[in-house]
Amino acid sequence: APEVLGVTTEGYEPSPPPADVYAVACLTYELVTSELLFSSSDELALVAQHVSHDGWTEQLQHLSQIGPFENLARVLGACLRA
């Protein structure tokens, strides 16, 4: 999660719960799709993917187009913004 990586706004006090919610969103996506939500062979690029989205990733956009997964995609997007 971005707060664990130290990428936060000034004065922000990180706490474990947002990181846990973020992690559950990533894990749930991976369990449902069998694909990584964020993937890169370069560690810096992977970190950039985690800190540069607004919660509504391209992968979640695609998932939301699959009828039964539309609501799940929205919940996961909200969790990524937690």
Side-chain angles (χ1 to χ4, degrees):
E3 67 272 10
V4 173
L5 298 171
V7 182
T8 59
T9 57
E10 187 175 316
Y12 177 76
E13 292 292 326
S15 61
D20 292 344
V21 171
Y22 188 94
V24 165
C26 293
L27 181 60
T28 301
Y29 177 85
E30 293 169 14
L31 289 170
V32 168
T33 66
S34 298
E35 298 176 3
L36 295 173
L37 184 55
F38 300 101
S39 178
S40 177
S41 59
D42 179 286
E43 191 171 297
L44 187 56
L46 183 61
V47 169
Q49 288 176 21
H50 279 280
V51 300
S52 65
H53 66 82
D54 63 355
W56 194 240
T57 66
E58 184 177 325
Q59 295 87 335
L60 289 180
Q61 290 174 23
H62 291 299
L63 185 63
S64 74
Q65 300 303 311
I66 303 170
F69 296 108
E70 179 181 0
N71 289 333
L72 176 62
R74 293 183 188 286
V75 169
L76 296 178
C79 290
L80 291 177
R81 288 188 296 270

